Amino acid sequence: MEHIRTPKVEQVKLLDRFSNKSVIGTLHLTATHLIFVESNSTSILHHHIASVEKLSLTTSGCPLLIQCRNFRLVHFVIPRERDCHDIYSSLLRLLRPVSYDELYAFSYNPKQNDQQREEGWQLIDLAAEFERMGVPCDQWQLTDVNREYKVCETYPRDLYVPITASKPIIVGSSKFRSKGRFPVLTYFYQEKKAAVCRCSQPLSGFSARCLEDEHMLQAISKSNHNSRYIYVMDTRPKLNALANRAAGKGYENEDNYSNIRFQFVGIENIHVMRGSLQKLLEVVGTRSLSMTDYLVGLENSGWLRHIKAIMDAAIFLAKAVTVEGASVLVHCSDGWDRTAQVCALGSLLMDPYYRTIKGFMVLIEKDWISFGHKFADRCDQLDPDPKEVSPIFTQFLECVWQLTEQFPQAFEFSEWFLIQIHEHVHSCQFGNFLGNSQRQREVLQLKERTYSLWAHLLSEKQNYLNPVYSPSFAESHPVLEPSTQACHFKFWRNMYHQYDRSMHPRQSILKQVLTFKESNRELEGTVQALKTLWICVLQYHQVSPEASGDVEDEEVFGEEAREDAPASTDGERTVEGSSATENGYGELTGSFGSKNEPAVVTLEFGVARMTC
Amino acid sequence: MEFAELIKTPRVDGVVLHRPFMPTVEGTLCLTGHHLILSSRQDTTEELWLLHANIDSTEKRFVGSLGTIIVKCKDLRVIQLDIPGMEECLNIASSIEALSTLDSVSLMYPFFYRPLFEVIEDGWQSFVPEESFKDLESMTDEWRLSEVNKDFSLCPSYPSLLTVPKDIDDESLCKAASFRHGGRFPVLSYYHKKNAMVMMRAAQPLTGTNGRRCKEDEKLINATLCAGKRGYIIDTRTIAVAQQAKARGGGFEQEANYPQWRRIHKAIERSNVLQDSLIKLVEACNDQSHSMDRWLSKLEASNWQSNVKEILTTACLAAQCIDREGASVLVHGTEGTDSTLQVTSLAQIILDPACRTIRGFEALIEREWLQAGHPFQQRCAQSAYSNGKPRSEAPVFLLFLDCVWQILRQFPCSFQFNENLLIMLFEHAYASQFGTFLGNCVAERGKLQLSQKTVSLWSWVNRPQELERFLNPLYEPNNLVIWPSVAPQSLLLWEGVFLRWNRSTKCLDEAYQEMVHIIEYNKELQNKVNSLRRQLAQLETEDSPLQTP
């Protein structure tokens, strides 16, 4: 690569962030990664690097401080100043890609063929998702008004609107909304026929009104017979909304819209959130931090206050829909940050499907990717404008994490799934989060030129499972009602200190229980195999299972075995069983080592007999 | 005195009980000498049995003739009783008040409690000093068991048997005792088998302003050092506090007189400050109207988490001196009955895997808290809701349990017990049917004849039926020293105690049960596989003649 002047530096020291420990290794610079090799190697994707800083020369060398978007902070000391400068300037160039083509996703190749890649992209189908919700139906229909992205270029092509909303109404309404983002359906609560819709702020200024837009809200209201009114949630603080009026934007005037209940929620804007995270990271990055400074810093950062505000808004939404059966229209300014947070989190509270691995992918694909959350700008993927960067999506993931802490059995996935998604929102390794809108993604031909993250995550699903997940939890708790008392919100250590090993428990309950669960699965197979084998052996000798070891039989097989026994006379089933025996055996050696030598003998013996 | 005199109204019907996150119960309220009982007289609802000793404070309110008593308990629970009739309500309130503040120890419930279970192993005999000395003897012959405090005259708060260096005679011990606060001369707390280093504890030396010294005290602690080795004195107070103590006759070891020792000062708060910290913390936890900022600032202002961090850090330091530096350690604060014990007992949990078993942990509490003379009776007389001016109440033991919980959180597979054991110990230290935590020291317990007149907590806990609840399903014994992280981000608020009553734990409990189920199922399957394999092998040998064609 033309930007790499020094591909390899030896005798580089890596300092631990919180202790005085350090290790010495070799630093390699490749086109995509910065790799540090000692007894185990650390590699950092260039896209993950947020900033590189060269500190002033010390006696032991030249320090290089690298801050990453996944909250990793590495501190190298490079012996020679020139090497340090070379690495520094190469990195500066490498971490500022100037065109999309330079992003890792376009060179990443997981050795899959085109068909596999296509299948990966087909995993998530939003049309099927709306069908799952029961849309289209007698009140909601698919409109083709945005087929060519002509009405709103940051929306997806396929949009769902009330059947009574005609094209002129839609177009009229879109002209009265910021960036043309008119009210559309994002979630349909079938049980009460209540809809969650989203849009951007109206261009109402101090007095402007738009009949089409009023019609549009009326249409949404009328599509739900369960409620006479709809809620309009403006997720901004009232002051922000008022200020917007001066710029010809603003919020709905209750006098002009019939049957709406207007509500401000008070989530701060992207700039406040960016500042808040910065403060939080500064505090928790301090060495030898005292408890007082930590708690005061946590408070001053406002981070948990913002998390709570988002959660409160989502709970308000979920209650309005599930308890009152009212439809809700959510917006903020442009309707792609706070609106996405509240709609997605609210849906997750209402619908257990979104708490599964697949469902969570669908949710992100729907409320974040397709509705145009500006991932490229917010996550600083390309040509950065520092004012556009903001941890909006990170906050959403954290809210979900807070929920997993309160409802440990409600989610199919563990926090590592959330953390992994966060990792890849910034990695630019997969196509899903590239760009700012669907339209842009189509122009970039992402589906043809890159791979889908979802296929990748599903392939290593076992890493992200929550071992205590209970599908039946959804039946007893279809709607989650979390506590929003301040004391129930916690600092997410595994996210913000993911790479600071010294801070984490040395033993993980999660890993331990996952191991047990995996072992249970294997053992179940083994038991099945051994039972089949037992029956085979008995059958060969034409001894009926009931007659043979009846005493032990009782105790070992229990009910199950008695059901199995008659089936063993069926030849085909027995053969089928013996192949399961082989499976069981493989796992057997894995889990028991040398101890099962006798079983091996027995097994071959059994199979041999069966075949002869 | 008869309890009946204090009970003005023994029974009221139509009382409604409100508890957070539980359905309200209407029923009959009964007062007995030791309990407040509310029963709906229906089989389906559980009854409330509350020890009067558990009641920290009460408040009463009236709306018309409906009276309400809010009962705040030492285990931090708050319940509300709606009592019809003003007179009944007043009577009940004043009876509860009187019964929950009885001064005489011998009127406490443990003296009246008769166990409904058969005592298989008498807990009073489970952990005797002679036994632990036997273990020590098997490792080293440097120590002896001294009877110098046989009649508790040398040191009233020490037990009658003490482990001291073999080369120091009783006469020297007497002199050393006169040089230490409350007669608490340096004694052995822990012997680290791995490198033969020891941890001792004592009270502050009485150097006073004129720098008194005591040759015997110096000789005593020097006797624990190997030739040419240095040791560490960990003073749990800041240097400023230690300096101030001089004016009241106390002080610290001067370098000149203890040249082989390096003194380190830490900043563990004194017990009276800790009580205030607990009160503020619990108030913050119970206030549900909080905004996030207010909660965090109140949590910070309570200083509780800071106290946890400081105690844990000091214990880690002591453990580090012993295990990593290979040096012996002497720990003391002022009286040697509070912060000193927190540090020595936590250091043992870090260093000694035996302390992480249930029995080992019980032995640790017996040795380092009960025998060592932590004044439970005084410290646990009141909890977070006490209105009165605190006398000598302080959550010293609760802070210790909190620190253990922090280590348990960080090493969830290294402890044989789970959080329930710690919570149970907290409850029983403050109010119990057992005699274990009554009295302030061994001498007092002897006078009260607790071992004859009351049942030991250990007699109950160690029954297999009870133990089950306290077992950690994830436990895998390991012999390692476990070093916890003391970064503020790693230390959590102990929700199991402080948020216990203001959240619904149903979801968390069910998740825990599911985890237990997964692990038990694993054992079950392993047994099944082994048994099947055995049977097959058997069948094989029986069949082998048939196999030859």
Side-chain angles (χ1 to χ4, degrees):
Chain A
M1 264 285 285
E2 74 245 63
H3 307 304
I4 301 172
R5 267 183 262 172
T6 311
K8 182 177 162 189
V9 188
E10 313 231 21
Q11 290 293 306
V12 172
K13 203 194 272 180
L14 173 64
L15 304 178
D16 185 90
R17 190 176 169 196
F18 291 104
S19 69
N20 293 320
K21 284 181 202 155
S22 64
V23 283
I24 301 229
T26 308
L27 192 63
H28 300 263
L29 189 61
T30 75
T32 52
H33 290 81
L34 183 66
I35 304 165
F36 180 75
V37 185
E38 30 115 20
S39 51
N40 42 26
S41 73
T42 311
S43 75
I44 299 169
L45 201 58
H46 296 329
H47 294 311
H48 270 147
I49 299 176
S51 71
V52 195
E53 210 180 329
K54 216 175 90 189
L55 306 179
S56 50
L57 198 66
T58 67
T59 46
S60 55
C62 191
L64 192 67
L65 200 65
I66 296 174
Q67 203 141 17
C68 300
R69 297 193 171 96
N70 50 14
F71 312 116
R72 175 187 234 161
L73 192 130
V74 277
H75 192 161
F76 291 119
V77 179
I78 298 169
R80 290 198 315 164
E81 209 268 335
R82 227 197 60 201
D83 290 336
C84 184
H85 185 78
D86 283 352
I87 297 273
Y88 173 71
S89 43
S90 305
L91 278 180
L92 275 192
R93 173 60 192 88
L94 287 167
L95 64 89
R96 294 272 174 265
V98 287
S99 75
Y100 274 102
D101 291 349
E102 282 182 46
L103 295 180
Y104 185 36
F106 293 99
S107 57
Y108 170 68
N109 184 358
K111 306 211 166 43
Q112 286 180 359
N113 58 35
D114 285 356
Q115 195 199 337
Q116 283 168 311
R117 190 183 57 207
E118 258 169 55
E119 280 169 12
W121 282 111
Q122 282 156 9
L123 269 172
I124 309 292
D125 176 358
L126 289 183
E129 169 56 11
F130 279 95
E131 226 166 274
R132 187 191 69 84
M133 296 178 206
V135 176
C137 61
D138 58 346
Q139 295 295 332
W140 292 88
Q141 64 179 359
L142 179 68
T143 169
D144 59 3
V145 70
N146 204 38
R147 270 286 141 82
E148 311 298 326
Y149 296 114
K150 277 198 180 122
V151 179
C152 174
E153 61 172 8
T154 58
Y155 266 173
R157 289 178 192 271
D158 290 345
L159 294 166
Y160 297 83
V161 292
I163 42 165
T164 51
S166 62
K167 254 182 204 170
I169 288 181
I170 294 175
V171 174
S173 166
S174 84
K175 289 195 171 126
F176 189 62
R177 294 274 168 183
S178 216
K179 308 278 196 302
R181 293 172 70 95
F182 61 95
V184 292
L185 181 79
T186 178
Y187 181 71
F188 189 64
Y189 188 67
Q190 237 174 327
E191 204 183 307
K192 299 253 167 105
K193 306 274 178 227
V196 177
C197 298
R198 55 185 290 174
C199 61
S200 61
Q201 64 184 338
L203 304 175
S204 52
F206 291 100
S207 58
R209 55 188 290 188
C210 164
L211 286 177
E212 288 94 335
D213 193 63
E214 288 160 26
H215 269 251
M216 188 73 189
L217 265 65
Q218 189 72 26
I220 293 172
S221 181
K222 286 227 172 98
S223 70
N224 178 0
H225 304 304
N226 282 323
S227 176
R228 285 184 303 105
Y229 52 86
I230 62 166
Y231 281 102
V232 176
M233 274 174 86
D234 189 328
T235 55
R236 300 167 293 182
K238 187 172 181 183
L239 214 64
N240 299 24
L242 281 171
N244 264 300
R245 288 213 301 199
K249 299 163 186 175
Y251 55 93
E252 290 80 359
N253 182 342
E254 271 178 286
D255 299 337
N256 299 341
Y257 294 84
S258 46
N259 304 324
I260 69 163
R261 294 196 175 176
F262 188 85
Q263 180 83 32
F264 286 112
V265 178
I267 302 173
E268 298 287 350
N269 65 24
I270 58 166
H271 312 293
V272 175
M273 300 307 190
R274 178 177 57 240
S276 172
L277 180 65
Q278 238 156 30
K279 281 187 207 154
L280 177 80
L281 295 177
E282 252 166 55
V283 172
V284 299
T286 317
R287 279 179 70 153
S288 327
L289 180 65
S290 78
M291 186 59 81
T292 299
D293 290 346
Y294 168 65
L295 290 174
V296 169
L298 201 56
E299 180 195 337
N300 289 343
S301 76
W303 184 255
L304 287 177
R305 186 181 68 222
H306 300 314
I307 296 292
K308 179 170 150 53
I310 298 162
M311 193 80 99
D312 281 329
I315 292 170
F316 180 89
L317 168 66
K319 273 208 179 123
V321 172
T322 61
V323 180
E324 293 183 51
S327 293
V328 182
L329 175 64
V330 184
H331 73 73
C332 46
S333 296
D334 290 319
W336 51 42
D337 292 313
R338 291 169 268 210
T339 301
Q341 288 177 328
V342 174
C343 288
L345 197 61
S347 313
L348 183 109
L349 290 175
M350 290 187 265
D351 194 334
Y353 175 62
Y354 297 130
R355 299 172 217 147
T356 64
I357 287 184
K358 179 82 186 291
F360 193 66
M361 294 171 174
V362 169
L363 184 66
I364 291 176
E365 195 71 41
K366 173 168 71 75
D367 270 311
W368 293 89
I369 297 175
S370 87
F371 276 115
H373 174 68
K374 301 200 291 173
F375 278 106
D377 289 357
R378 298 290 178 259
C379 302
D380 198 9
Q381 287 170 356
L382 194 70
D383 189 22
D385 174 359
K387 284 220 166 85
E388 282 286 317
V389 178
S390 189
I392 301 302
F393 186 68
T394 310
Q395 287 182 318
F396 165 68
L397 293 177
E398 175 164 341
C399 287
V400 176
W401 175 77
Q402 301 280 359
L403 289 173
T404 65
E405 286 286 292
Q406 286 196 32
F407 305 101
Q409 294 194 277
F411 293 83
E412 189 188 7
F413 48 85
S414 70
E415 62 179 315
W416 297 109
F417 185 56
L418 302 173
I419 291 171
Q420 197 61 18
I421 291 173
H422 183 262
E423 199 80 0
H424 284 296
V425 166
H426 295 279
S427 74
C428 303
Q429 186 175 348
F430 296 93
N432 308 60
F433 298 106
L434 300 191
N436 285 323
S437 64
Q438 285 301 60
R439 186 193 156 136
Q440 197 181 2
R441 282 179 203 107
E442 280 170 23
V443 173
L444 289 168
Q445 294 177 291
L446 292 177
K447 291 193 179 177
E448 290 78 47
R449 299 170 62 202
T450 71
Y451 294 85
S452 167
L453 170 66
W454 308 131
H456 170 74
L457 290 179
L458 277 178
S459 74
E460 38 181 57
K461 188 175 165 182
Q462 74 281 358
N463 296 344
Y464 309 122
L465 289 176
N466 166 15
V468 295
Y469 169 61
S470 152
S472 64
F473 188 88
E475 287 156 32
S476 50
H477 302 77
V479 181
L480 294 184
E481 292 169 53
S483 155
T484 56
Q485 269 187 62
C487 55
H488 292 138
F489 288 82
K490 297 177 220 168
F491 171 68
W492 192 5
R493 189 181 53 212
N494 281 347
M495 173 65 105
Y496 305 105
H497 285 299
Q498 192 193 162
Y499 294 95
D500 304 316
R501 280 220 213 118
S502 65
M503 263 186 208
H504 299 293
R506 299 311 155 83
Q507 296 165 329
S508 150
I509 297 181
L510 178 73
K511 271 188 197 144
Q512 203 70 17
V513 180
L514 269 178
T515 315
F516 274 116
K517 202 139 189 199
E518 181 65 16
S519 151
N520 285 355
R521 216 175 48 78
E522 282 172 13
L523 284 168
E524 273 172 351
T526 312
V527 168
Q528 213 47 54
L530 285 170
K531 276 185 190 173
T532 315
L533 184 56
W534 165 271
I535 289 157
C536 294
V537 173
L538 288 179
Q539 200 182 35
Y540 178 77
H541 293 295
Q542 293 166 340
V543 186
S544 85
E546 287 88 353
S548 72
D550 38 18
V551 183
E552 280 168 297
D553 214 27
E554 281 296 315
E555 142 203 346
V556 180
F557 294 127
E559 289 295 323
E560 233 178 305
R562 255 174 261 132
E563 274 169 39
D564 270 2
S568 68
T569 48
D570 182 343
E572 221 179 276
R573 244 192 99 163
T574 321
V575 176
E576 203 183 313
S578 71
S579 81
T581 314
E582 280 176 273
N583 289 337
Y585 154 59
E587 286 152 1
L588 215 77
T589 20
S591 51
F592 285 96
S594 58
K595 269 193 193 158
N596 31 346
E597 283 316 328
V600 177
V601 177
T602 321
L603 177 84
E604 282 165 354
F605 177 29
V607 172
R609 281 182 189 182
M610 280 309 302
T611 43
C612 66
Chain B
M1 190 194 65
E2 286 292 322
F3 292 116
E5 292 167 19
L6 297 174
I7 304 171
K8 293 176 187 157
T9 304
R11 222 188 98 163
V12 187
D13 289 320
V15 173
V16 181
L17 166 71
H18 303 270
R19 289 174 290 187
F21 300 101
M22 288 206 208
T24 55
V25 182
E26 188 180 334
T28 305
L29 177 76
C30 297
L31 288 186
T32 72
H34 294 105
H35 284 97
L36 180 155
I37 304 159
L38 189 119
S39 167
S40 66
R41 306 200 169 191
Q42 281 161 7
D43 297 337
T44 43
T45 35
E46 57 162 330
E47 296 176 333
L48 171 79
W49 282 71
L50 192 65
L51 264 182
H52 293 316
N54 192 0
I55 296 172
D56 210 17
S57 69
T58 54
E59 282 167 28
K60 36 184 192 291
R61 277 203 305 254
F62 289 98
V63 179
S65 69
L66 181 75
T68 294
I69 303 180
I70 295 170
V71 179
K72 298 181 173 181
C73 303
K74 289 176 188 162
D75 61 14
L76 308 182
R77 163 173 34 165
V78 178
I79 60 169
Q80 182 185 328
L81 296 165
D82 292 342
I83 301 173
M86 187 176 288
E87 198 190 329
E88 279 85 354
C89 183
L90 283 170
N91 284 346
I92 295 284
S94 68
S95 305
I96 294 177
E97 179 84 31
L99 290 164
S100 60
T101 52
L102 294 177
D103 269 335
S104 168
V105 182
S106 57
L107 290 176
M108 296 292 212
Y109 186 51
F111 289 96
F112 299 83
Y113 170 72
R114 290 293 159 263
L116 292 171
F117 58 89
E118 191 195 345
V119 176
I120 300 160
E121 181 198 337
D122 182 7
W124 292 113
Q125 304 307 324
S126 295
F127 310 100
V128 288
E130 289 90 339
E131 287 296 317
S132 49
F133 186 72
K134 260 185 216 153
D135 293 343
L136 180 68
E137 253 183 330
S138 69
M139 298 183 278
T140 169
D141 57 358
E142 298 287 306
W143 299 82
R144 69 183 182 94
L145 215 46
S146 166
E147 294 190 352
V148 68
N149 198 38
K150 201 167 55 194
D151 54 1
F152 307 108
S153 58
L154 192 60
C155 171
S157 63
Y158 267 169
S160 53
L161 288 174
L162 291 156
T163 311
V164 296
K166 201 177 64 185
D167 300 336
I168 306 296
D169 56 22
D170 282 356
E171 204 180 317
S172 306
L173 293 178
C174 292
K175 289 196 174 136
S178 66
F179 181 63
R180 293 274 172 179
H181 190 116
R184 294 177 70 94
F185 58 89
V187 295
L188 182 76
S189 163
Y190 170 67
Y191 179 85
H192 196 45
K193 196 177 170 186
K194 191 167 123 193
N195 58 10
M197 292 301 129
V198 299
M199 177 161 60
M200 287 175 299
R201 52 179 158 75
Q204 64 175 346
L206 302 174
T207 55
T209 38
N210 47 11
R212 233 181 98 206
R213 66 186 284 190
C214 170
K215 291 272 185 199
E216 286 77 9
D217 187 77
E218 292 159 27
K219 211 177 108 196
L220 168 56
I221 68 167
N222 286 340
T224 64
L225 294 177
C226 309
K229 275 269 194 177
R230 283 165 65 100
Y232 289 90
I233 294 174
I234 297 179
D235 192 327
T236 62
R237 306 162 295 178
T238 60
I239 179 77
V241 174
Q243 288 281 9
Q244 285 160 17
K246 281 183 176 176
R248 291 186 298 273
F252 51 88
E253 294 83 354
Q254 296 292 343
E255 283 87 350
N257 302 337
Y258 297 84
Q260 286 167 281
W261 295 83
R262 221 192 110 195
R263 213 179 58 244
I264 306 173
H265 288 275
K266 298 299 285 183
I268 300 182
E269 292 283 7
R270 290 215 48 169
S271 52
N272 51 348
V273 182
L274 299 180
Q275 182 68 8
D276 188 45
S277 171
L278 174 67
I279 291 171
K280 282 189 186 155
L281 173 71
V282 172
E283 201 217 300
C285 292
N286 284 350
D287 185 349
Q288 312 208 347
S289 59
H290 281 170
S291 72
M292 185 59 73
D293 290 3
R294 211 167 138 71
W295 155 246
L296 287 172
S297 99
K298 279 187 143 186
L299 178 64
E300 191 278 312
S302 80
N303 243 353
W304 184 266
Q305 293 297 94
S306 296
N307 288 321
V308 169
K309 178 168 155 64
E310 195 59 36
I311 294 165
L312 212 46
T313 309
T314 312
C316 288
L317 177 74
Q320 199 181 355
C321 290
I322 294 169
D323 188 71
R324 293 287 162 93
E325 305 285 315
S328 286
V329 171
L330 168 68
V331 183
H332 72 73
T334 305
E335 284 116 351
T337 53
D338 295 299
S339 58
T340 307
L341 305 183
Q342 289 172 330
V343 173
T344 57
S345 53
L346 285 168
Q348 292 181 50
I349 286 169
I350 294 166
L351 294 170
D352 185 1
C355 294
R356 298 171 219 144
T357 64
I358 292 192
R359 243 193 132 79
F361 188 64
E362 290 170 358
L364 180 78
I365 287 169
E366 187 72 35
R367 217 168 52 230
E368 292 295 306
W369 291 87
L370 293 160
Q371 300 275 337
H374 174 67
F376 278 100
Q377 183 92 42
Q378 291 175 6
R379 297 286 182 258
C380 303
Q382 298 262 262
S383 168
Y385 302 120
S386 59
N387 301 320
K389 202 171 175 310
R391 295 179 302 251
S392 33
E393 292 81 5
V396 177
F397 187 60
L398 176 57
L399 267 165
F400 158 72
L401 294 175
D402 194 330
C403 292
V404 177
W405 178 78
Q406 304 286 351
I407 308 177
L408 173 63
R409 279 286 303 214
Q410 296 188 27
F411 296 89
C413 306
S414 298
F415 288 80
Q416 193 190 13
F417 52 87
N418 60 23
E419 182 183 5
N420 294 340
L421 184 79
L422 302 173
I423 297 174
M424 182 277 291
L425 287 169
F426 159 59
E427 290 171 344
H428 283 272
Y430 280 84
S432 174
Q433 65 269 47
F434 303 105
T436 300
F437 292 108
L438 292 183
N440 289 309
C441 55
V442 176
E444 270 188 44
R445 281 183 209 111
K447 266 184 228 145
L448 289 166
Q449 295 180 286
L450 292 178
S451 61
Q452 292 100 54
K453 292 186 172 172
T454 73
V455 181
S456 161
L457 174 66
W458 313 131
S459 304
W460 172 69
V461 175
N462 288 335
R463 302 170 69 236
Q465 302 92 306
E466 296 302 329
L467 270 183
E468 195 145 334
R469 183 157 74 88
F470 304 122
L471 286 174
N472 174 9
L474 293 165
Y475 179 52
E476 271 172 38
N478 76 63
N479 281 318
L480 303 170
V481 175
I482 51 176
W483 300 107
S485 159
V486 294
Q489 296 97 312
S490 309
L491 302 177
L492 307 170
L493 176 71
W494 190 6
E495 298 176 32
V497 165
F498 300 109
L499 303 180
R500 182 180 178 188
W501 308 105
N502 46 20
R503 62 170 181 177
S504 160
T505 55
K506 197 167 159 276
C507 292
L508 302 178
D509 293 343
E510 283 170 1
Y512 182 81
Q513 280 315 319
E514 175 62 20
M515 180 186 85
V516 172
H517 169 76
I518 290 169
I519 296 166
E520 272 169 6
Y521 183 49
N522 190 262
K523 284 189 198 123
E524 206 178 291
L525 282 171
Q526 301 248 16
N527 290 339
K528 218 175 196 175
V529 165
N530 291 342
S531 143
L532 273 168
R533 208 172 274 150
R534 230 182 1 252
Q535 287 183 52
L536 272 167
Q538 220 167 37
L539 202 62
E540 208 85 324
T541 36
E542 280 166 18
D543 287 351
S544 46
L546 292 170
Q547 205 193 347
T548 27

